[in-house]
Each structure stands twice: as C-alpha cells, then as structure tokens.
Amino acid sequence: MNLTYSKEDEEFRKEVRSWLKKNLPKKDKTLSDLPPHDPERVKRAKEWQRKLYEAGYVAMGWPKEYGGQGASVVRQTIVNEEMVLARAPGLIGAMGIQMLGPTLIQFGTEEQKRRYLPKILTAEEIWCQGYSEPGAGSDLASLRTRAELVGDEFIVNGQKVWTSNAQFADWMFCLVRTDPDAPKHRGISYLLIDMKTPGITVRPLIQMTGDAGFNEVFFEDVRVPRANLVGELNQGWLVANNTLFHERNLLGSTTRTQLMMQNLLRLARSRQRYGKPASEDPVIRQKLADLLIRVEAMKYHSYRQLTDAIAGRPPGIAAMVNKLVGTELNHDICSLALELLGSYAPLNRGTPHVVDHGNWAYEFMFTLGLIIGGGTSQIQKNIISERGLGMPKSA
Amino acid sequence: MNLTYSKEDEEFRKEVRSWLKKNLPKKDKTLSDLPPHDPERVKRAKEWQRKLYEAGYVAMGWPKEYGGQGASVVRQTIVNEEMVLARAPGLIGAMGIQMLGPTLIQFGTEEQKRRYLPKILTAEEIWCQGYSEPGAGSDLASLRTRAELVGDEFIVNGQKVWTSNAQFADWMFCLVRTDPDAPKHRGISYLLIDMKTPGITVRPLIQMTGDAGFNEVFFEDVRVPRANLVGELNQGWLVANNTLFHERNLLGSTTRTQLMMQNLLRLARSRQRYGKPASEDPVIRQKLADLLIRVEAMKYHSYRQLTDAIAGRPPGIAAMVNKLVGTELNHDICSLALELLGSYAPLNRGTPHVVDHGNWAYEFMFTLGLIIGGGTSQIQKNIISERGLGMPKSA
Amino acid sequence: MDFGLSEEQELLQRSAREFLTRECPTTFVRELSKEKDGFSRELHRKMAEQGWTGLLIPQGYGGLGLSMLDMALLLEEMGRAVVPGPFMFSSVLVTLALIQGGSAAQKKAWLPRLAAGEIVGTLALLEAADRLDAAGVTLKAKKNRTGYTLTGVKMFVPFAAAADVLLIAARTGGRGEDGISVFLVERDAPGLTCIPLEIFDLTRRVYEVSCNNVTVPSTALIGGEGQGWKLLSRLIDAACVALAADSLGGAQKALEMAVEYTKVRTQFNRPVASFQALKHMAAEMVSEIEPARSLVWYAAYAFDARPREASRAASMAKARLSDVYARTTNRAVQMHGGIGFTWEHDIHLWFKRAKWNEFAFGDATYHRERLAQLDGF
Amino acid sequence: MDFGLSEEQELLQRSAREFLTRECPTTFVRELSKEKDGFSRELHRKMAEQGWTGLLIPQGYGGLGLSMLDMALLLEEMGRAVVPGPFMFSSVLVTLALIQGGSAAQKKAWLPRLAAGEIVGTLALLEAADRLDAAGVTLKAKKNRTGYTLTGVKMFVPFAAAADVLLIAARTGGRGEDGISVFLVERDAPGLTCIPLEIFDLTRRVYEVSCNNVTVPSTALIGGEGQGWKLLSRLIDAACVALAADSLGGAQKALEMAVEYTKVRTQFNRPVASFQALKHMAAEMVSEIEPARSLVWYAAYAFDARPREASRAASMAKARLSDVYARTTNRAVQMHGGIGFTWEHDIHLWFKRAKWNEFAFGDATYHRERLAQLDGF
C-alpha cells in the first residue's frame, strides 16, 4: 500500500489543475443551474467537452486509433478528480463515453468504431440510452419495443422511458426485441438509432424537482439500417450486459460526494442555530462525523477499486456496493443539510434568502431519484446477494 | 376519549396496590435472578400465583364456573399494570392462562374445561407449549411429530423444540400430525399430554445468555388417551390458530417496557460520563427522548387496543404491530443502557462492580431472543403486510 | 378508560374524507398551486359551511365549540388530502389565540368572522434567525399614545398574502420572555408588506413580512403587554399537534398509495406487492404509523384535558411524526419506482409536504431536546 | 497509487487463516473460556513461532519489523477466528509502547522476550471513572529514592492474570496531561493484586488491578516522567486500529456464517436464502462491511505512514467498525433464527465479542466527537 502518486502523475495532476484554472469558463461552473435541455446549456456543454477533448482529457484510456491515448486509469482518475474539485460541469457526452464507447470497442465492427467513436469524444454527436420501457422497470429484459427485420432495415415500433438527454441527443443506443418467440433474454438486439429518423417522437417527463431530465421516446415505423446492429442479431442482451454491470464508474462520483461533504461542513460552520454555529452542536457533530466517516470510507473504497483496475483484476463484490452505498450517502448528506437549514430548507432556487442557490433541496430530491433510477436500491441488494453472495433467486 | 378510570376502577387499583404491598414477598422481586428452572424459583413462583389467585387476580375475565370472575378487561389490565409496577414476578402459569385457557374455553369439552381450567389458575398444574419443531421454524404447519390413533390412544413419536418450562411443566398442549397424507394444515391435531407419561425425554437447551430457558422434548411411543384431543381430529391448526394470533397480550408488556424505560432514565441520571451525568449529554438526551417517545406511543397504543377490547371490537392492523414494535423497542432500550455503561456493560451478574445486577446485558440478549422467538420480526412483517395490508404471499 | 373516538368523531372523520375527496382532489391541489396566493377562498367558505373554521370556537361566537381532538381528526383528513391553504394557521392558531388570550370585545369582533370563514388569519412568529424561543422575537412594538408602532421583519409567515389578519409576535420590552407581546394586525395596514418566498411544497406558501412603522391601536394587543410568550407557547403546542395530525393523515395516505400501486404494478410476471422487500417496507411503515396515531390522539386530548402534560405530549407527537412522515413518504416514493419520481404522479405532493411539516415549528431533534427539558432528564 | 495488499501480505492472510483454522477452532475457543485465565500459553508460543508476537518488533530485537497494516491483516484473521487471549494487548500495545517510548536498554530487556512469546504484557489504562482522557488517570506514582511507589486501582485490565508485565498509566504530577507517566510493572510485584471481573464475552478477560504501595525501580518508567500521555494517545490510536481490524474480521465471518446457514436451512420447501428479506439483510451487511474494510486498511496504513492523519483515521475506523460489527452480528443472529440464540451454536461468540469491541477504547459516539474535534468542526 502506498497512497502517494508517482512523480509523473503528480506532475500531470498539476498540469490538469492549471489547465482547468485557465480554461474552465467561470460561468460554466454554474452550468448545472440551467435546466439540462436548455439550448444554451447544451451548446456550452458541447463546447466544453470539445475543449477538454482537445486538451487530451476525455476517454484517455481508449485506443489511440479511435481518438484515445491508451492512458492509464490513474490518469483518467486524476482528471476526473480535478474536474470535480474545479466544479467543472460533467461531460454532456458521458453516456456515449461510459456506456456506448466500451461496448463498441468490444463488440462493434471496425466500420462502426471508426464511424462513431471519434464523434463521441468531440461531442459532435450526443448519445442517449434506450433501455428502459414503461411496464418493464427493473425487469429490463421484458422490454417490448419491436424491431422487425425487413430487407436491409429494421422497422422499429414501441416506446422507451426514463431516457435522459433525448431532447437534444443525436443518436440513441437502444435495446429492441427482434425475436418475440425466443426466451426473453434471447430475442433482444442492440441497435444504433439516428434520432432524426422520421417516426421518432420525444416527450419530456417532468421530475418531482420540476426539471425535465427524463423523456419518453416513441417509435412509429422507424427505419434503421441493418448496418446499425451492434453484435449479432438477438445477442443484444449479452452486448448490453457487458457495460450495464460495469460498476467502475464510481471513481469520479466519490470525488463528487467528497465535495458535497465539504459543502455540508461549510454550511454547518456558517449556519447559526440558537446563537451558535450548527457545527458546535454536539448532536449535529455526531451526524456530521458519521457522514464524514462514511464518505471517507467510500474514498478509500474507490482507491481500492482503482488499484484493482490498475492491476487488471475484475471488480468483485466490493464494487457491487458502490451504487447502493453512494446514492444513499449522497441523499443522507443532503438530508442533513436540509436539517441544518430548517425553515430555509424548502426555499426554491432564485427565491430571496435562499441558501446555496437552493441546491440542497434540489439535490435532496435528485439523489432520491438516483436511489430509484438505474436499478433501485432494492435491485442492487438482489444483485449483491445473488451475484456477490451466491444466494438463490427469490422466485 | 377519556383517560381517567372510573371511580370504582380507581378504588380497585388502590386495593390491588395495597394488596401487593402487603402480600408480595420482598425476595420474590428478585425471583427472576434465579434460573427459570431452579426448583426454589419454581416452588416460590407457584406459591405466588396461588396467592394471587386466591386474592382473585388471576384470569379475572374467565367464566366464574371455571374459577374466573367474568371481570372486565380493564380490571385485569389494572392488575397487570400494578404487578409490573410492584416488580412482582410474572405468572409461572402464563402459558396455560394465556394460550391453553382461552382455547379450552372455546374448543374444549365440558369435561376438559372442568378437569384442566381450575388447576391452571391455581398453578397446581403448569403447562408448556409443544408447537415448534426442529426444521419447521417459522413454517409451523410443516411439523412432523406423528400421532397415530390406535384404539383409544394416540401413539406419539417425534420431537419438539424451543419448549419453555418443559423441565418442570406437568402438561403440554401440543400439535401433532394425525394425517400425514392430508395437506399440511389439514392433518394436524391438538393434544394434551401428561409430561409424566413414559417415553417423554426433556433436554434443556442453553441460550446464549447461559440460561436454560428452552428445551427439546422427545417423544418415543408416548401413549395419550383419545379423550385428550381438543377439538376435532385433524382440526388442530384451526384450534391453535385461534390463540396463536391473538395479539392482545400486549397490555401487560407495555407496562414492562415503561418500567424498563424508567430504569434507563434512572441509569442515565446516575452514570457519570466524563464528569457529568450521562443524562446531561445532549447526544444521550436525544437517544433517551427518542426511546421515551416510542415507549409512550406504545402506552397509548395499548390504551387504544384496550378500548377496542372493552368495546368488543376485533383487534385490527393496529394490534399486528405489537410484537414487532414491542420487542425491538425493548431491545433498543437495553442497547442504550449498555452504551451508558461503557466498560461496565459486559459485566456478568454477581461480578464485582456490576451495575443493576447485570440485568441490562442479560436483557439485551434476552430481548434479542424475543425478536427471534414466537415469530421473528421477519415473520411479523409478513403477517402485517399480508393480513393487514392484503399484499400477496411471496412464493 | 376510553382511548377511542366517539360516534360523532367517527362521523366527522367520514364526512371530512368524503367532503375532501369531492372538493379537494389532487387535480384541484395542483391547480391551486399555480394560483398567486395558493389559496381558494371558495374552498375556505365551503369548509366554513361544514363548521370546520369554527370547530374550536365556542358556540356563543358562532362556532361548534369542539375539542382539539376533533380538530386533530379533521386535520388528519386534511393532511391525507394534502389540502392547500391557511386553515391550520387561521382556524387553529389565530383562533386559539383569540379564544385563550382575547378580551370579550376582541372575541366578539373576530371569532364570529373567523367561524363564518369571512376572514382568514395567520401567525407571524419566526424571524431571520429561525428560532422558536423567545430570543427569536426581535420585531419592535413601540408604545405610542393610541397604540403601538411595529417595526421589523417576520419570516416564513404562512399564507400571509391570503390572510386578512396577522397575529404578530413582537417585542415591547426587554430581552426575556416577558418582553414579548402579540398583536392582531390587518394585512392591509399601511407599512406592512409581504414578499413571497417560493418553496418546494406545492401546498403551502410562506412570506417575508416587513413592518415599516405599522401603527396599530391598543385593541390590537391580544392578552396583556408582555404576556405574549405564554400565549405563543400554547400556540406552538397547538401547532405541533396540528402538524403531527396533518402528518399522520399524510403518512397513512402515502402508505395506502404505495401499497395500492405495488398491487397493481407487475414485474417479472407478478405483482410487485409480492416481493418480500416491498412487503416488509410496507410493514415497517405500518409499524411506525399505528403507534404514532395513538400518540397524536393523545397529544390532542392532552392539549385540552391535561394541561400539565400538554407541552410534552405535543413535543412527542411533533418529534415522532416529523420522522415518521418523512420516512414514510420517502419509502412510498421508492415503492413507486421511477414513476414516483415524476411530477405527473401525485406522490411527490406528500413527499414535499412531509419535508415542510418536518421543519415547521421545530424538527424532531428540537422537540426531543424540549421533551428532555420538560421531563427534567 | 496503490491501495492494495502486497503478495507477502496476502500470504500472511492466507497462512494466518490456515493456522487459526487448525490451531484455534471454536471448540478450542470454548474450552479456553472455561480455563482460569482464558489464555493458552501454548497457543501464544505457537503464534510466536509464526513470528506474530514479534511482527511489529524491529529485526534487531528478534522481530519481523513489519507494519501496522500487516498487523491489522493478522488481527482481522484473529477477529475472524474469535481468538481468545491477550495478543492484541501484548504484541501491539505493550510492544508499541516499548518501541516508541522505551530506551535502548528497555527495548533490549523486553522486546526480544515479547517477540519470542516468553512473556506477555497488557495495558492498565482505565480506572473506575471509565474515561479515556487524561483526567481518567488518577493512580498515584510517588517518586522515591530508587524509583516510584504506585498506589491506586486500575479497572478493566485485559488478561491481567495471564500477563507477566503490566503497562500502567499513573499520575506523577499535577492534573493535566503532563502529569502522567507510564510504568512497566511485573505482575508478581509485591502489592499488586488482580481480581477477575466476569464478562459475557467468552474470548476476553478483564480484571480489577490494585496497587498497594507497589515499588518499582526508575527503569520501569517508559519514556520520560510526565511524558506518558503522548505515548498513551498513540497506544489508544493503535488500540482503535487493532479493535477495528478484529471487528472487521469478525463481521466478515459472521456474515459468511449467516449466509451459509440460510443456504442450507430450508423452510416452506425452499432454502431460506431465497427469501428476499434475508437476501437484502445480507446485502446490507456487505454494503457496510466492504467500505469499512477500506477504512480499516487506511487507518492501519496512516498509523505508520501519515502521522498527522493517524488519530483521525483511527477514530474513523473505530467508530465505524463499532457500529458495523455490532449491527452485523445482531443481523447474523437473526438470520440464524432460533438456533442462533442457543449457547450450542457458535454465532454468539461473535455477537458478544462485537459488544466488547464496541465499548473498549471508546464507542462510536466517543470517536465521532473525537473526529469532530480533530477536524475542527
């Protein structure tokens, strides 16, 4: 065990930090105060990713021939950490980078790789994910969006839901049912769909926060070239599964949690409760310390996984808890922040007297959405007990 | 709503209180410090129940012809409360009084009632319950102890487990399988078995507390007269079910919880933590107040159920939570007591410097046993969700 | 020994539930949330017709003269229906202030109009420091020849814009509790301005209320000068009982919605209600709600019948229900899965109201410490 | 950046697990619990042969000169096997006191014998007030011509009867931290008596140790006079890391036992491991244990490598593992159903050890506040 970085990596961190200092537009630090589909936000977010890409900080681990640098996971982690610390906005092309990219690299044809990967990096093409369907929920594989192969085209009909970014995405990677008679995991294919194809309708779904982060996407006789199939026909479950349960995207998010925790501590120091800073109240101190300990545990936990990743060891049971623990921890941090805010807690963004731009209340709700989305905590517990502990399926 | 008792009931309470003051042997207050099967404890506990009975304080609601008084549930509640407040030992014949008695009154023949009920009251005959079996656990109805009807006798073979008081009980009321071919709930009968019958072996099961509260009971060709069958042959599940889920025995136990809470508050005031009474520590105060609130809620909750009982209303979903909430609350009270005791917490009874006779550690473990026994908290939640909320069975 | 409801009380519950199902469905709640003041005078008038606005007001002043327990049962139904509007602040707090602190003339002047639903009141207690103790009151009331002049800022005043009168806690004297007096001030008094503060709870509105040399006659003083804190303490207890009752009703409804949803929703070819994890979550909600119900009823009963127990019972109920309502709605949202996180589905109305209820008039931590003090731990 | 174990460390883990499976099965633990001192000198000697007793001791003094992380990995295995005996107190605390505070002569006198397992030590820190701060030390050490005279009573001294030497915290001066000195005293010193205090943890023994004019030479003083508190603080950190590691191993084992049991045990014709409620309970245990493991490793690493972080890391690990071990064993007992509550089944060995670990050297609440102070909240 040695938690110091190599001299070269420390140098690199300094470089990244100074690059960010110079290049991150100050106004972009509050980019996430705009609604996610706001055209101004989309435009600036694309510009930002392009700039980052040109500096060599996006998907650094990808092979060079597709725009990456074959860099170490340590380097990417350093970039991710510095981005969070600099309060840089997240990448608008994250879905393409984290989900589609690795899938194409593993399963795509050479043509597909050359066609799609570079534009993922430059944010020229933004991707959304078409997995969830109404009525399917956690039982993802029961999806019913139908794609019939007619000649050299698939004709797609059906509906997706909970689709982030569909309002402005250029492409969707999508799971469709290509064999309705096969067992449910065996009749699914993985398609790339141009969002400008006729027959696609996007309807925003407003969340309880008031933002439209998600969408419903309707397909009516949407024609997709056969060349847009990734992997074999009817093997889409295999293709998707590979990235779906790839849980290593924790690395950036623990930094985000740490930042949130720092903000909470700052809030506790600054809020007066009955004439004293909240941080001096022994009861609050217990709650702060408990959260801080859980945050620090996740920090070292991410170091442990980073070490495994460097060594090329497969993520084990340790990685399975990331989503469950991380989302609940973020929610609990926000929950204590609201407690500290008391009567100020329910104030909305933009209202007089609001504290920290109303972010705590917003995040309190948003993180509850994260607990539910992408596999609820209930599903995470099934995964941990079944895959991690070998306990039998329930039904 | 009116939480005052009638003048008559208040008078009665005074009578009970002064009777207890006069008649409760001082040394009996610590009777429960002896192991439950200690012959001295058994002898004194029987004498105590006899005395109570003669004063008219046992099973007051039973019909007069079987030794009761047809008294109101309020009166019995008053007695139960005063008993707890006076730290009187619990009734050694409780199993007969609470479980068998009501069953016999509803399902027994006239002969059975006259033969058994009076001696339950006087503690001349102590009963134990033979329901649980190894391998059955929560799935009570999967029991396998076999009773074959041969002529006028049942020949019983098999094993029971978790049988409290079997070391000194005179009789057992017992569920046995009389039709192995019927569906599992339909082949069970309810038998009364004399514990002195040849072929019965009792083996104490030591608990984690070190006490032998439970036993295993083995049956080898044990002959039981057919006259000892309660209810119809193969209808034993129906007979047992009637009392098994009769959840109103909460009334006395909330008083016990209140007493425990008072003891905890006293402990908090008397323990010094870093130079101040623990009760002055804001963090401890929060925990004490939280427990106190939960205790008081259960107190009023029991009043609500008492009111329903007086009015003859069936116990509803409110009563289903008693066991779950009550046992976990008792355990949590003990848990905080241990926290207050710190390094003194692990000390055993009888050891130098031990606080409150080591009862907190003992009760901490014992109440964990209660969470598990008599239907674990898991089973309680099944019952609440299925019977109370109409949610479907899981399998 | 009778810890139960009378037939009249059960009737009140039933009729309130029917009325609110009819008059205040969530479609109406959502419409109202878009209105300027978040208040429907028409609904208020209809509630007056039911006698609700005068429920606590003695019969001699046009009310029904019923008890706090009756009011709690009604508020439970209102919480269940997430009824928007100032009812609790007007018909419980301001009303009680007049009943318990008002002179005969003040009662006569205000109570019949409150009972009839002609006017609406609210309570202006908090200030920027957001503290519930006497030190939190700094708005100045300076005595003059004919009355008082009020100067200062009140915060988080519920439905101030909808209210006709505001009960304002002000400081007439020194620093302690005995320097506090309470005034009933008309909302359109010159110098009084309301700035809306937007909050996430769609069913409540709060305001910053500034008094800039607001002059009031001496008849505006409720109770004697310097006698305000005792009255306010009583109102805080009442608010705790009221919010606890509202929370109880809301928690019960959120549970029912969640259970209902899981019975209808299928996954892996079976209703999700058959998943043990969801069943146990529901069971845990029940096991918190049921004893809490008894606690709320007791607190309401004690408010009238056991004065020495009233404060501690109110704190117990508020502490417990703050926790239980928040936890229950959080679980209810989770039991709904993704749909529970949408604006379209109603469950967030309860989720957000639970959060407002949690912090209003002291959170659970505050009231646990208050209980510890009252009980002399 | 390397937050992982070296091959040597993984080998240490494996060989420790094999050794303890062979030499310290629960049948042995139970036998030992009936012995007078709860200590097997033979097992201790065998552990010495493995190099464990000298793990932290520099090679020059007969040890292996390894790190606290290595020790934590070993203690994790010992917690897993609920190993009885004074190992942690002797081979971590007393040993560290000598390494970090002893003179060359003291090191030479004691460390080789500790490394060889010839002698066993323990720490006598607490007194009747049960406080971990400097004010908790009141046992008097009065200077005389040749050394000191000790008078007073120490409480909860682990394995005092089995120990050959006791490291005693005593007061040589005024009231503060700088009045404290530490002495290494032989257990058979005249005037020193041990009274056993029976506890529920079957794997630990604690004693009341009275010093009645115990005279020690000045060479018994470890570190300078009045320099004791700094050393003790360091030992408290070490104890926190050690107990956290022990707890981690115990929690992991309790989880495994519970999961294993539910796979074998059937009810309603299926393994109870297929019940979602039990699966989720197990998953929650995992999701507490896995991040906690990283915390323990970090605390051990920081103890050596990051002195400024060492105390806060130790407090974090102790606080978290106090909670996690207690909660995990509680759940593990419940997952076993009735059998888990019997004396016969082994799970209570872990359940009780968890409770002892929880309170020893400060519970979670204590260490959370300590963290808050260290971090200057």
Side-chain angles (χ1 to χ4, degrees), chain B residues 159-160 166 195 197-203 215-220 222:
Chain B
Q159 185 193 345
K160 295 289 172 182
M195 291 293 283
T197 321
I200 297 180
T201 318
V202 174
R203 207 176 70 184
N215 301 273
E216 294 175 295
V217 181
F218 300 88
F219 300 93
E220 215 186 314
V222 173

Side-chain angles (χ1 to χ4, degrees), chain C residues 20-238:
Chain C
L20 292 170
T21 305
R22 195 174 59 241
E23 300 293 338
C24 191
T26 54
T27 46
F28 179 78
V29 172
R30 284 171 179 270
E31 273 170 39
L32 213 48
S33 75
K34 294 173 204 148
E35 299 288 324
K36 187 163 163 281
D37 299 340
F39 171 57
S40 161
R41 200 162 281 271
E42 194 192 334
L43 177 62
H44 195 75
R45 219 176 8 79
K46 283 185 190 160
M47 295 197 297
E49 280 163 19
Q50 300 289 313
W52 296 356
T53 48
L55 203 83
L56 295 176
I57 294 175
Q59 291 183 357
Y61 296 106
L64 299 179
L66 294 180
S67 71
M68 195 60 161
L69 178 58
D70 298 286
M71 181 53 92
L73 296 172
L74 178 58
L75 291 168
E76 202 179 316
E77 294 303 321
M78 290 194 167
R80 186 182 171 86
V82 286
V83 176
F87 181 86
M88 170 188 304
F89 312 101
S90 181
S91 302
V92 181
L93 303 187
V94 173
T95 296
L96 275 175
L98 283 160
I99 294 173
Q100 305 205 338
S103 65
Q106 285 168 328
K107 286 180 187 171
K108 213 174 141 196
W110 298 109
L111 288 176
R113 298 176 67 196
L114 282 165
E118 284 170 34
I119 58 163
V120 166
T122 190
L123 174 66
L125 172 62
L126 292 176
E127 300 182 6
D130 189 28
R131 47 197 294 177
L132 272 176
D133 59 358
V137 179
T138 72
L139 181 139
K140 253 201 188 130
K142 208 177 152 192
K143 202 161 187 169
N144 58 31
R145 227 165 17 102
T146 58
Y148 296 84
T149 307
L150 276 52
T151 305
V153 180
K154 287 287 167 184
M155 287 285 287
F156 310 113
V157 182
F159 293 96
D164 303 288
V165 290
L166 287 82
L167 191 72
I168 298 181
R171 194 158 280 285
T172 43
R175 283 198 183 171
E177 293 180 357
D178 53 5
I180 292 175
S181 305
V182 175
F183 298 91
L184 196 65
V185 182
E186 296 190 53
R187 216 237 7 219
D188 52 13
L192 191 150
T193 49
C194 297
I195 301 170
L197 306 175
E198 271 181 62
I199 59 173
F200 57 61
D201 180 358
L202 297 182
T203 66
R204 265 70 168 260
R205 297 295 166 93
V206 298
Y207 296 82
E208 177 179 359
V209 174
S210 299
C211 293
N212 192 3
N213 289 320
V214 175
T215 52
V216 297
S218 55
T219 54
L221 181 67
I222 308 290
E225 192 184 295
Q227 301 292 307
W229 187 248
K230 214 180 134 194
L231 186 59
L232 287 169
S233 302
R234 187 84 176 134
L235 296 189
I236 290 171
D237 286 347

Side-chain angles (χ1 to χ4, degrees), chain B residues 189-211:
Chain B
S189 297
Y190 192 109
L191 285 190
L192 309 179
I193 303 180
D194 185 336
M195 291 293 283
K196 287 179 293 294
T197 321
I200 297 180
T201 318
V202 174
R203 207 176 70 184
L205 260 178
I206 315 293
Q207 298 161 219
M208 68 157 72
T209 56
D211 277 353

Side-chain angles (χ1 to χ4, degrees), chain A residues 4-21:
Chain A
T4 49
Y5 286 87
S6 71
K7 227 184 211 159
E8 294 75 18
D9 287 338
E10 286 293 1
E11 275 308 312
F12 176 72
R13 185 185 290 278
K14 272 186 212 154
E15 264 170 55
V16 176
R17 192 170 291 182
S18 83
W19 185 90
L20 283 167
K21 210 167 179 176

